[in-house]
Amino acid sequence: MNKKFSTLLLGALLAGAFTANAERVTTQEQFEALIKNGVLTLNDDELVFAAGNYKVPFQAHHSNGTQGGEYVIVNTANLKITGEEGAVITGRLAITAENVTVSGLDFINNGLEEVTDPASDASIGVNKSSISVFANKVTITNNDFIRGDIDATNM
């Protein structure tokens, strides 16, 4: 390998031009196939969402299956989650792993939802945030957050 080519290759690698292990999602079915028992399951270092709409599937919190939410747990350390132009996720990411990066996505959530607590039969509010972080170091950049239950043009 000549010196110019190896220098060019090294520069591209250092700049992040190549991703060795990336999973590219192009359909809702592909996205759901990566979720096992509410946990995002990957063998790769990066998850790339192509342009399109992706809905986080409902996960039951209680054994009766009536309570829950649209969330997925991200527990893979050093994972990079990126979106191509026009990639939209409806639902919530609950990040529990260190050094996760989330960038380039549009997130839609529905603000506050009223649900009934099965223990007391009382109405309670559930914050439907787009990203919840339960880790010490996470990078969240260049994302748009849209509240889905109101007309975004009036915000």
Side-chain angles (χ1 to χ4, degrees):
M1 193 177 315
N2 71 37
K3 187 174 181 177
K4 286 182 182 178
F5 180 75
S6 61
T7 302
L8 177 64
L9 183 60
L10 178 61
L13 286 171
L14 292 174
F18 301 107
T19 303
N21 299 309
E23 175 83 29
R24 186 167 186 268
V25 175
T26 59
T27 67
Q28 178 69 30
E29 292 76 22
Q30 279 181 298
F31 179 44
E32 289 183 18
L34 295 173
I35 301 170
K36 308 286 190 256
N37 297 318
V39 178
L40 187 63
T41 307
L42 289 173
N43 294 321
D44 298 312
D45 302 338
E46 183 174 7
L47 177 60
V48 178
F49 285 91
N53 296 307
Y54 304 94
K55 186 173 182 352
V56 176
F58 180 85
Q59 305 296 326
H61 290 288
H62 300 287
S63 59
N64 65 12
T66 60
Q67 297 288 312
E70 294 156 349
Y71 70 93
V72 63
I73 297 170
V74 179
N75 66 0
T76 303
N78 305 308
L79 179 64
K80 183 178 178 184
I81 301 172
T82 60
E84 296 175 355
E85 181 70 31
V88 179
I89 294 180
T90 301
R92 180 168 62 119
L93 301 182
I95 302 172
T96 62
E98 299 297 328
N99 300 312
V100 172
T101 299
V102 181
S103 65
L105 291 161
D106 291 345
F107 286 93
I108 297 177
N109 70 53
N110 292 321
L112 190 67
E113 177 183 359
E114 293 292 324
V115 296
T116 302
D117 180 1
S120 66
D121 203 31
S123 180
I124 57 174
V126 176
N127 185 2
K128 297 184 77 179
S129 58
S130 297
I131 299 176
S132 297
V133 176
F134 305 96
N136 292 316
K137 184 177 179 192
V138 172
T139 303
I140 301 170
T141 59
N142 300 319
N143 299 289
D144 287 326
F145 298 93
I146 303 158
R147 186 168 164 183
D149 63 347
I150 59 174
D151 182 2
T153 60
N154 292 327
M155 294 178 65

